[in-house]
């Protein structure tokens, strides 16, 4: 073979990497998962981190009743990024996954799959054997879906103690949940009360606020007259004189209320008004002959709303008789509009002051049924003493039963249904409206579409109904001491659950910070916590009670009984409560007293709110979490909770209240919330719309790291969007990042550790890259500490695709491929590539664990190694060189003008490759010229030659508007083309032994041949 015909490819140091350009993640990721399991990576991580400060991400338990969806994927990926990044920041970052296994959805599934679908009758759960059998079916169902979800979560690349998760149905968990509710019984905040609660007729249970969502609903609306029965003098002469003038009109008048729940009228016991509203007495002067509101009728109404009321009542003319002072309104006593109907409504209806009354809509008065609304109940109870003194019966009636049917406390309507078993509107509204029409007490009716509470499970409307339920009091003092509501504040308050929770909120870090205000507002306004459910699958309220005669109960508080219950639950689970003879077994020597066993189960929010007690505080069952000493206790450890923003009213709140009630503080130090996942158009996902993105499909087609990249590139604090086009963009971004890593790996195949060059001996371009690494190190560490993954991903993506691939790598390919083995520049570049690889791959590892692991093992093959066992590298502060960075900012601006000029030449086909060019660069700014005069722009712009000239340059030279004082004239390179590097240089052929290459390439060939000979 002649020298001229020689193929020089074998002499080039081209990239070589066992890291394919096409990722093949769907196939590769399961192999990596299997490797982690074989390595026992979780235990290796614990061993490596022993002795470090703990960072515990306590899992908010998902519900074990179906395949995971994209919201689950977002949540678990975020948790994993937190856990992995905190480990690599130097913590013992531990994640124990958990599941919420009790509750109504599973009961429903069992009833549907085992009974309704097979036309079998649901078992009689009052039979202990049937109850225990049913609970076992529920347990088996939950266990099945737990296993399915565990596999799906692991496939996302989530690292945790999957071999030892927690569940709320584990026997020790059920035992601890029982202990926790008994603590509330002991401190006096657990009580049985009679209050209106949100009740699902379909599900036959009370619902917590967290189980409610508001949907559009069309309600009947009615305007109802409450005839004035009598009014008292105010003992204020001016007012009483005015009252005398209108006495005959007022005695015939009626107070008008507006309601969208006519069925609650039988439960009415009062009318609420506001002293901030101006009320007037009005007389109808003209109306259609058959109208319900007739000429001569007089009504008491808000002066602001009167015209609107008369419009609905089809009154064509009316007269304002007088403005009524608040004292007069307060002195009015009305009759019930159904007085005379079935003899059950003969009582007086007082007017009571209420803060909830506004002039936003209605009449300025609010119909008050204390058994059917929270504000109604509160107003009624606040005035209880006054009402008793006025000989008004303050008993709250039970007008509606658990089936949504009127009871005999609603005379004349018993059996009428407010809501049917199917969740549809029953016949109660029409029955009440007809009775009001017959009594002449209706002045208008209509329909109103508005937001109405629905059960988030059944999607059916709920009702407020008065029921005996179990509550945890928010405002009953737990101890007699006073507590400070804020640090450094002299303001003291009662030691109540509400105040404890408000103090704990201020001591917590909220991410984003707006979460603090959100949960504060919820705690400030929330009612007592309804913790009872009338269902079967859950932890029972493990107390014994006896009636006291006034409707309340005495709760047995006996340490021996409590211990028997907890011990039995530890061994047998909560089924022990339902075994035959359970009462006698647990009461022991007290069994002959009149104590009754409570069979309601706990709200599942209490279960999950207690997880801190049976996970974070149980070293026996969770030894990897033993010894947590939080910073507020003088230790170094941190506990984080992370869930969707809806959990401010769900798990965050129930955990906060449970822990504050039993331990006096929050169970967490940091709370992070994320948004929800919508489709690409910002719509909620729905099977009917066909816009659902299933994580299983994404993984099957593209891999879990694509999902993870989507999460980390998004602003999780807001709602996220996903769909085919977004995923296509994500895949393309991933491809570019992967190719950057691949090129580094390929080039590093030629790196020998003995060739490492100290930074001080490196060329400027290499030192610039070390400076950029130093900058990024500070950014990445701070952003990981701030849980700001979008910032990290954006910075790394820009660095790897722009600074590295499109700039540094592009420039240095010639040096890496063609320079002699002995070249200091080549060695320096390889040294920098080694630093670049280690830093970028470890920084990416929490976000893209599969890809980072694959790349790490390609660089550092090992049976035992893993990138996830590494810490983020400690980068020397000496690498930071702001002056150098500023110089190279100017160089890159000049380079942009050169590359712009080359593109024009290439577009006009005057050159093909940039190596055919030898640009002349004119710089008119003396300061800029001095800054870049020592830079080899042929190297930087990837041309064969370049000339730097101080001056303006010819008028037709290429310029960029945003780079002042720089002009470029592109000339063709002179000389012959090097057969090895393809540069066009006059020096090609000056070495007679290598007549077709440049002197640099000739030297490289001599060294390469000597190396090959030495290897033979």
């Amino acid at each position: 073979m002649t020298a001229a015909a020689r193929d020089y490819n074998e002499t080039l140091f081209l990239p070589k990497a066992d890291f394919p350009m096409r990722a093949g993640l769907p196939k590769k990721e399961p192999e990596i998962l299997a490797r982690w399991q074989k390595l026992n990576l979780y235990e290796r991580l614990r061993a490596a981190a022993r002795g470090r400060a703990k960072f515990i991400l306590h899992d908010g338990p998902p519900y074990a009743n179906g395949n995971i969806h994209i919201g689950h994927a977002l949540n678990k990926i975020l948790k994993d990024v937190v856990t992995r990044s905190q480990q690599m920041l130097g913590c013992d970052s531990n994640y124990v996954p958990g599941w919420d296994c009790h509750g109504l959805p599973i009961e429903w599934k069992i009833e549907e799959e085992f009974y309704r679908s097979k036309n079998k009758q649901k078992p009689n759960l009052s039979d202990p054997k049937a109850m225990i059998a049913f609970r076992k079916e529920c347990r088996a169902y939950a266990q099945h879906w737990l296993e399915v979800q565990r596999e799906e979560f692991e496939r996302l690349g989530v690292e945790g103690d999957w071999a030892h998760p927690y569940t709320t149905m584990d026997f020790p968990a059920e035992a601890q949940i029982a202990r926790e509710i008994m603590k509330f019984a002991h401190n006096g905040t657990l009580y049985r009360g009679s209050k209106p609660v949100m009740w699902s007729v379909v599900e036959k249970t009370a619902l917590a606020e967290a189980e409610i969502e508001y949907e559009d609903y069309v309600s009947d609306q009615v305007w109802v007259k409450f005839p004035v029965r009598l009014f008292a003098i105010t003992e204020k002469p001016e007012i009483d004189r005015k009252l005398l003038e209108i006495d005959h009109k007022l005695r015939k008048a009626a107070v008008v209320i507006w309601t969208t729940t006519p069925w609650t009228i039988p439960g009415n016991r009062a009318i609420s008004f506001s002293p901030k509203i101006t009320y007037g007495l009005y007389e109808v002067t003209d109306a259609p002959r058959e109208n319900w509101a007739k000429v001569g009728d007089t009504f008491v109404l808000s002066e602001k709303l009167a015209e609107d009321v008369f419009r609905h009542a089809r009154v064509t003319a009316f007269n304002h008789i007088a403005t009524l002072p608040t004292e007069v309104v307060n002195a009015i006593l009305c009759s019930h509009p159904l007085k005379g109907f079935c003899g059950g409504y003969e009582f007086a209806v007082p007017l009571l002051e209420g803060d909830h009354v506004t002039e936003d809509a209605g009449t300025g008065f609010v119909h008050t049924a204390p058994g059917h609304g929270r504000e109604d109940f509160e107003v009624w109870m606040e005035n209880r003493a006054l009402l008793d003194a006025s000989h008004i019966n303050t008993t709250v009636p039970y007008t509606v039963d658990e089936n949504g049917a009127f009871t005999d406390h609603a005379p004349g309507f018993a059996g009428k249904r407010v809501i049917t078993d199917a969740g549809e509107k029953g016949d109660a509204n029409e029955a009440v409206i007809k009775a009001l029409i017959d009594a002449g007490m209706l002045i208008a009716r209509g329909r109103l579409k508005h937001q109405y509470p629905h059960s988030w499970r059944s999607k059916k409307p709920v009702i407020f109904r008065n029921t005996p339920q179990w509550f945890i009091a928010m405002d009953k003092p737990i101890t007699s001491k006073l507590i400070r509501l804020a640090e450094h504040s002299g303001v003291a308050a009662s030691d109540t659950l509400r105040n404890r929770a408000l103090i704990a909120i201020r001591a917590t870090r909220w991410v984003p910070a707006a979460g603090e205000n959100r949960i504060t507002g919820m705690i400030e306004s929330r009612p007592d916590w309804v913790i009872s459910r009338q269902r079967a699958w859950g932890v029972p309220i493990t107390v014994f009670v006896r009636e006291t005669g006034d409707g309340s109960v005495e709760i047995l508080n006996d340490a021996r009984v409590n211990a028997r219950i907890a011990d039995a639950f530890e061994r047998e689970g909560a089924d022990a409560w339902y075994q035959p003879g359970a009462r006698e077994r647990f009461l022991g020597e007290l069994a002959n007293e009149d104590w009754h066993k409570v069979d309601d189960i706990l709200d599942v929010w209490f279960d999950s709110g207690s997880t801190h007690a049976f996970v974070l505080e149980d070293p026996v069952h969770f030894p990897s979490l033993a010894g947590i000493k939080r910073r507020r206790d003088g230790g170094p450890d941190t506990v984080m909770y992370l869930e969707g923003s809806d959990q401010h009213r769900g798990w965050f709140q129930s955990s906060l209240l449970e822990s504050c009630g039993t331990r006096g503080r929050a169970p967490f130090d940091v709370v992070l919330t994320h948004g929800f996942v919508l489709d690409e158009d910002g719509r909620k996902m729905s099977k009917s719309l066909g816009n659902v993105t299933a994580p299983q499909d994404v993984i099957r087609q593209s891999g879990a790291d694509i999902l993870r990249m989507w999460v980390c590139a998004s602003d999780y604090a807001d709602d996220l969007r996903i769909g085919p086009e977004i995923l296509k963009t994500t895949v393309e971004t991933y491809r570019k990042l992967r190719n950057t890593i691949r090129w580094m790996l390929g080039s590093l195949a030629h790196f020998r550790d003995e060739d490492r060059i100290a930074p001080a001996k490196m060329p400027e371009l290499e030192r610039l890259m070390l400076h950029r690494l130093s900058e990024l190190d500070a950014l990445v560490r701070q952003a990981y500490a701030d849980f700001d993954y979008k910032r990290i991903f954006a910075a790394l993506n820009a660095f790897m695709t722009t600074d590295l691939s499109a700039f540094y790598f592009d420039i240095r390919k010639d040096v890496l491929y063609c320079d002699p083995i002995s070249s200091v520049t080549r060695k320096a570049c390889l040294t920098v590539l080694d630093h670049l690889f280690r830093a970028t791959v470890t920084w990416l590892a929490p976000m893209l664990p599969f890809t980072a692991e694959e790349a790490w093992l390609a660089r550092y093959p090992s049976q035992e190694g893993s990138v996830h066992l590494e810490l983020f590298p400690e980068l020397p502060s000496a690498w930071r060189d702001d002056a150098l960075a500023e110089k190279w900012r100017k160089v890159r601006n000049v380079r942009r003008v050169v590359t712009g000029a080359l593109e024009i030449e290439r577009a006009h086909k005057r050159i093909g490759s940039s190596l055919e060019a030898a640009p002349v660069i004119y710089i008119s700014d003396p300061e800029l010229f001095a800054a870049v005069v020592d830079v080899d722009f042929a190297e930087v712009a990837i041309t064969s030659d370049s000339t730097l000239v101080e001056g303006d340059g010819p008028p037709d030279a290429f310029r960029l508007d945003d780079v002042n004082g720089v002009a470029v004239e592109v000339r063709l390179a002179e000389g012959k083309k090097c057969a090895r590097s393809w540069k066009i240089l006059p020096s090609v052929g000056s070495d007679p032994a290598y007549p077709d290459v440049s002197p640099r390439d000739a030297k490289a060939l001599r060294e390469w041949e000597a190396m090959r000979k030495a290897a033979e």
Side-chain angles (χ1 to χ4, degrees), residues 106 179 230 235 250 261 321 405 545 550 838 910:
I106 289 176
R179 292 187 191 99
L230 57 90
E235 298 183 357
L250 189 55
T261 53
I321 298 171
V545 299
D550 62 356
R838 180 175 282 271
R910 289 192 284 266

Side-chain angles (χ1 to χ4, degrees), residues 775-844:
E775 280 187 319
L776 279 169
D777 181 51
L779 181 152
V780 167
R781 287 177 179 276
Q782 187 59 55
Y784 269 130
D786 293 339
F787 316 108
D788 190 353
Y789 309 124
K790 182 184 180 185
R791 186 179 179 209
I792 299 168
F793 186 80
L796 288 180
N797 186 38
F799 176 64
M800 295 176 73
T801 57
T802 304
D803 287 1
L804 296 186
S805 288
F807 177 66
Y808 180 60
F809 295 171
D810 217 21
I811 293 169
R812 281 296 183 236
K813 282 176 182 176
D814 176 69
V815 166
L816 285 172
Y817 300 172
C818 300
D819 263 18
I821 296 170
S822 62
S823 163
V824 171
T825 302
R826 179 177 174 276
K827 291 178 180 179
C829 180
L830 287 169
T831 303
V832 167
L833 284 181
D834 185 56
H835 291 307
L836 286 169
F837 177 85
R838 180 175 282 271
T840 54
V841 170
T842 52
W843 289 340
L844 284 170

